[in-house]
Amino acid sequence: MLFDYMTLKVIWWCFVGLLLIGFALTDGFDFGVGISLPFLGKTDAERRVIINTIGPTWEGNQTWFITAGGALFAAWPLVYGAAFSGFYIAMMVLLFSLFFRPVGFDYRSKIADPRWRCAWDWGLFIGGFVPPLIFGIAFGNLLLGVPFHYDNTMRMEYTGNFLALINPFGLLAGTLSVAMLVMHGATFLQQKTEGVLAARARKVAILAALATIAAFAAAGVWVAFGMDGYRITSMPDVNTAFMPVAKTVERSSGAWLDNYARWPATLIFPVTAFAGALLVMLLSARRHTVAAFLASGLSVASIILTAGSAMFPFVMPSSLAPGSSLTAWDAVASQKSLAIMFWVVVIMLPIIIMYTGWVYRVVRGKVTLEHIRDNEHSAY
């Protein structure tokens, strides 16, 4: 094989991270636009403009979520099983909130009744707000540790409940997730619209960037000084898999900062997260819309990379039995499976990226009120 097992494990950590970033950067601004819809659009025509900025691409963007879920199942089957057991109710809430999106996009404009359209506007808001909130809360709970353990026959037991996930740090992480995607969506809107809509989006982008900075800073201080992190103290041969209970793990204050001391270059991620959000404020105020959108993407990607760098190699730490924590070393598929999927990703991912780029080139340009009036029966 081209790569040894340990190298493939690291590569797949990077692949899953790349897919999550792709999801946040593409479907993320869709979510942000959906959250802003009832507030930025003051008339039905303005709301139709907002909806049609993402109408041609939202379905394609959603495939990043599906792909990331598939990669999680294929590369880290133990994590997939444990996550869907522990977060089952949260996942169901997420799934049902996503139902509002396709129905809302397709049926909102079919009836001219203001009550009908207003109801679907709030449905699209729910479909935009709930997923990033749940993703953020879930990730916050990963940093805290999830109450599960494996017995000596490798049967998993989860002892938590849905309400336990809604804790102060989880809510802070959820707030950060929502704020950064509202920022991302607002920077997208300010370059896809004009006039009063673009001006409103500009204000939202600046406020959301400020909220992102505040929430990210608060979460960083909390992780550094207000919670225990996890570190591996002994590990069997890294060429093994499906043996999470064979290692020993300790919980210790500041342990989530170990990787930054080990690899100082990773400190660039929190720096660029703050810098990107600050640039969003500056560039939006100066009406450099494309640059503001790119800065927003930099901030969103860097926030995800900051969390991933801190947690590596942990994927799902266990607060109940730290030795049962799932990591990139011991919760992965077989070497052959990872190798086959590696070539699938190497071949298909560039094609997907090029096709996505081509789609955005085709639908480039602003959506205006005149466009909606001229396409009354075909626009969303």
Side-chain angles (χ1 to χ4, degrees):
M1 291 186 180
L2 182 62
F3 300 109
D4 61 32
Y5 200 13
M6 180 177 180
T7 302
L8 283 170
K9 292 176 179 181
V10 176
I11 288 172
W12 271 96
W13 171 277
C14 297
F15 276 167
V16 172
L18 178 62
L19 290 171
L20 290 176
I21 290 172
F23 169 56
L25 293 181
T26 55
D27 216 22
F29 68 75
D30 290 349
F31 288 144
V33 170
I35 295 170
S36 302
L37 173 63
F39 311 104
L40 289 184
K42 303 303 182 183
T43 66
D44 178 66
E46 288 180 348
R47 292 184 178 186
R48 291 190 73 182
V49 168
I50 293 172
I51 291 171
N52 280 273
T53 62
I54 58 174
T57 56
W58 76 271
E59 288 177 294
N61 293 342
Q62 191 110 334
T63 59
W64 285 91
F65 173 52
I66 299 169
T67 304
L72 181 65
F73 171 73
W76 296 333
L78 288 184
V79 176
Y80 185 89
F84 276 77
S85 296
F87 300 146
Y88 183 78
I89 295 178
M91 292 294 181
M92 288 296 101
V93 173
L94 168 66
L95 180 62
F96 279 96
S97 70
L98 289 173
F99 289 167
F100 285 102
R101 303 187 77 202
V103 183
F105 278 110
D106 288 336
Y107 289 100
R108 180 194 182 277
S109 63
K110 303 303 182 185
I111 299 177
D113 187 334
R115 293 171 298 179
W116 170 269
R117 293 188 173 184
C118 183
W120 285 117
D121 290 339
W122 285 103
L124 289 171
F125 166 82
I126 293 171
F129 175 76
V130 173
L133 178 66
I134 289 181
F135 284 132
I137 290 175
F139 208 94
N141 279 275
L142 289 181
L143 287 166
L144 290 169
V146 182
F148 75 97
H149 74 282
Y150 287 95
D151 62 19
N152 56 9
T153 63
M154 284 301 294
R155 290 184 298 181
M156 191 203 80
E157 180 181 2
Y158 176 78
T159 61
N161 57 68
F162 177 71
L163 292 178
L165 299 176
I166 308 175
N167 53 70
F169 183 75
L171 290 174
L172 175 60
T175 300
L176 172 59
S177 178
V178 170
M180 73 179 189
L181 295 190
V182 170
M183 172 184 70
H184 200 41
T187 57
F188 179 77
L189 273 179
Q190 69 177 344
Q191 67 160 325
K192 290 289 288 183
T193 59
E194 59 184 20
V196 66
L197 271 178
R200 292 177 196 149
R202 189 177 306 118
K203 293 178 182 178
V204 170
I206 293 172
L207 291 174
L210 186 61
T212 298
I213 292 170
F216 187 54
V221 171
W222 199 324
V223 168
F225 304 108
M227 71 168 64
D228 290 340
Y230 294 75
R231 65 166 62 97
I232 298 174
T233 56
S234 69
M235 184 78 189
D237 184 1
V238 294
N239 288 315
T240 60
F242 299 114
M243 295 183 64
V245 296
K247 64 183 179 300
T248 56
V249 176
E250 69 173 13
R251 298 180 64 179
S252 177
S253 178
W256 285 140
L257 304 182
D258 287 356
N259 287 340
Y260 292 108
R262 188 176 297 115
W263 302 298
T266 56
L267 289 169
I268 191 64
F269 298 136
V271 171
T272 53
F274 283 117
L278 288 170
L279 283 173
V280 167
M281 300 172 67
L282 176 64
L283 294 169
S284 295
R286 296 187 176 184
R287 293 170 172 77
H288 298 310
T289 58
V290 174
F293 179 67
L294 295 175
S296 174
L298 173 66
S299 181
V300 170
S302 297
I303 289 171
I304 296 172
L305 288 169
T306 298
S309 298
M311 288 189 64
F312 181 81
F314 288 93
V315 182
M316 192 171 176
S318 169
S319 60
L320 195 62
S324 292
S325 299
L326 301 177
T327 73
W329 307 132
D330 53 25
V332 296
S334 67
Q335 183 175 2
K336 185 174 183 179
S337 296
L338 294 182
I340 292 173
M341 293 187 297
F342 167 81
W343 289 112
V344 172
V345 172
V346 167
I347 294 170
M348 295 304 299
L349 188 59
I351 296 174
I352 294 171
I353 292 174
M354 288 188 291
Y355 173 74
T356 302
W358 175 79
V359 168
Y360 278 98
R361 177 177 173 80
V362 170
V363 300
R364 69 188 184 280
K366 295 184 182 294
V367 181
T368 64
L369 290 171
E370 290 74 19
H371 170 81
I372 299 301
R373 294 189 187 104
D374 293 342
N375 298 272
E376 176 69 25
H377 299 293
S378 59
Y380 285 111

